């Protein structure tokens, strides 16, 4: 059999099967490295971390994807220069590709570094700018969240459904503290000050992708964060949409690959949350 024939046979595996395989393999390997990484570097600030395990995970995922789909584009966090400008340029350049895989090889590197078991592998596939597949894998709990466009979202074989709270006062919401200490973090603090007294409680566990998956699973009523990148959001956004929830930017515009300030919810509390966040941002 020639090389090209062989490639076609391998390529017959479904997108979802490849994404699950990538996330599971990478996640299992990452778990063996908790407490055992060897190189810790800083990116844009003292709280923006990267280890050789982030890079190894991305290499593993990238090569598995390209083994099956050699013509697809892959955007991975560790293949992009640190900082918002390079991230924005990278997604703008690739967003209209026929097939684009968007990969966060470890979402929650700070947690990984500290041995706090709340980090994930996030893998999305977009077709001409629209996310059609999303997988978020939590290796600590061996929990895999998956959604395919139009086919629903599942965890542990069960269909996911967003939560039913109708008011912020009954809601458990989450946010993330941005690494950009002088800009995004200050705005996030003002938003937190406005949101906290209005909700049942707030959680900040340190993996945007996993927080989004928890909104999809009905474990959180909503999540918001500013200054995120495409690889933090893409898979989680589809999980939520396919679970009956809503994902927008801070202005309430529908989610697209360029969104960085994300507001995600069960739908019922969305407008109320947007209003509180926007009033805090306007101050
Ligand atoms: C980070 C995590 C964190 C969020 C940060 C992200 P990383 O991703 O999602 O929860 O607050 O804004 O950058 O750097 O661990 O992949
Ligand atoms: Ca991330
Ligand atoms: Ca990451």
């Amino acid at each position: 059999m020639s090389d090209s024939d062989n490639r076609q046979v391998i390529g017959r595996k479904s997108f979802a099967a490849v994404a699950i395989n990538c996330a599971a393999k990478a996640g299992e390997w990452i778990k063996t490295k908790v407490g055992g990484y060897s190189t810790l570097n800083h990116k844009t600030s003292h709280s923006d971390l990267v280890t050789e395990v982030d890079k190894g995970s991305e290499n593993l995922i990238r090569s598995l994807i390209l083994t099956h789909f050699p013509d697809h584009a892959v955007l991975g966090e560790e293949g992009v220069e640190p900082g918002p400008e390079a991230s924005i340029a990278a997604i703008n350049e690739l967003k209209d590709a026929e097939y684009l895989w968007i990969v966060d090889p470890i979402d929650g590197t700070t947690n990984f570094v500290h041995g706090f078991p709340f980090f994930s592998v996030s893998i999305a596939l977009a077709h001409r700018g629209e996310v059609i597949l999303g997988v978020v894998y939590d290796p600590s709990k061996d929990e895999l969240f998956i959604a395919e466009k139009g086919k629903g979202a599942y965890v542990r074989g069960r269909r996911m459904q967003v939560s039913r709270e109708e008011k912020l006062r009954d809601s458990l919401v989450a946010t993330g503290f941005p690494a950009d200490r002088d800009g995004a973090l200050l705005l996030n603090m003002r938003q937190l000050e406005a949101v906290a007294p209005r909700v049942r409680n707030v959680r900040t566990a340190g993996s945007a992708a996993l927080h989004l998956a928890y909104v999809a699973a009905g474990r959180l009523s909503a999540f918001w964060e500013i200054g995120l990148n495409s690889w933090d959001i893409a898979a989680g956004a589809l999980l939520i949409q396919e679970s009956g929830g809503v994902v927008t930017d801070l202005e309430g515009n529908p989610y697209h690959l360029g969104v960085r300030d994300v507001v995600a919810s069960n739908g019922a509390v969305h407008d109320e949350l947007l209003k509180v966040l926007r009033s805090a941002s306007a101050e």
Side-chain angles (χ1 to χ4, degrees):
M1 190 184 276
S2 74
D3 271 2
S4 63
D5 289 337
N6 192 36
R7 231 161 56 171
Q8 277 174 9
V9 172
I10 292 169
R12 273 195 206 127
K13 220 168 172 191
S14 76
F15 297 151
V18 172
I20 290 169
N21 194 17
C22 287
K25 281 222 166 71
E28 285 312 308
W29 179 68
I30 292 163
K31 207 162 73 168
T32 67
K33 295 289 179 180
V34 174
Y37 66 87
S38 51
T39 317
L40 178 63
N41 288 310
H42 299 99
K43 290 175 161 182
T44 55
S45 77
H46 193 68
S47 58
D48 192 1
L49 307 178
V50 63
T51 70
E52 85 282 2
V53 184
D54 298 74
K55 293 174 184 163
S57 171
E58 180 158 321
N59 288 342
L60 185 157
I61 294 167
R62 188 181 288 269
S63 73
L64 259 175
I65 290 172
L66 292 176
T67 299
H68 293 282
F69 308 113
D71 302 331
H72 289 191
V74 182
L75 171 62
E77 175 176 16
E78 308 310 335
V80 178
E81 287 294 311
E85 293 80 13
S87 306
I88 293 166
I91 189 65
N92 281 343
E93 189 186 327
L94 290 170
K95 68 179 178 354
D96 297 322
E98 186 181 12
Y99 286 103
L100 171 65
W101 294 79
I102 303 169
V103 178
D104 193 335
I106 303 180
D107 185 57
T109 298
T110 304
N111 287 345
F112 166 73
V113 164
H114 288 264
F116 184 92
F118 195 85
F119 49 84
S120 59
V121 177
S122 177
I123 301 174
L125 174 62
H127 179 242
R128 299 195 192 288
E130 182 186 31
V131 181
I132 57 169
L133 170 68
V135 169
V136 174
Y137 180 53
D138 171 357
S140 310
K141 292 185 77 178
D142 188 22
E143 207 162 52
L144 187 134
F145 303 82
I146 180 162
E148 282 187 87
K149 182 91 195 156
K151 295 188 187 169
Y154 296 82
V155 62
R156 295 184 186 271
R158 287 194 320 275
R159 184 129 190 195
M160 292 197 289
Q161 184 69 47
V162 291
S163 68
R164 292 187 177 161
E165 298 79 39
E166 299 214 330
K167 298 261 174 261
L168 278 188
R169 63 189 294 273
D170 300 320
S171 294
L172 183 64
V173 307
T175 187
F177 300 135
D180 169 17
R181 298 275 166 98
D182 303 321
L185 182 62
L186 301 177
L187 174 56
N188 181 254
M189 289 293 123
R190 287 209 303 276
Q191 294 170 330
L192 183 60
E193 204 177 359
V195 170
R198 292 180 164 90
V199 295
R200 182 164 282 160
N201 219 318
V202 184
R203 300 287 178 258
T204 55
S207 165
L210 214 40
H211 278 136
L212 291 166
Y214 274 34
V215 174
R219 299 171 187 175
L220 288 168
S221 326
F223 167 76
W224 91 93
E225 186 166 341
I226 50 176
L228 287 174
N229 293 304
S230 56
W231 45 79
D232 302 307
I233 308 173
L238 186 65
L239 291 173
I240 292 174
Q241 289 164 340
E242 289 293 326
S243 302
V246 171
V247 187
T248 68
D249 65 12
L250 208 52
E251 269 70 56
N253 301 306
Y255 169 76
H256 57 84
L257 287 179
V259 167
R260 299 175 57 78
D261 304 337
V262 75
V263 183
S265 78
N266 65 358
V269 301
H270 207 85
D271 287 346
E272 197 186 349
L273 178 58
L274 274 179
K275 212 167 145 195
V276 175
L277 292 173
R278 273 149 62 183
S279 66
S281 314
E283 272 169 26

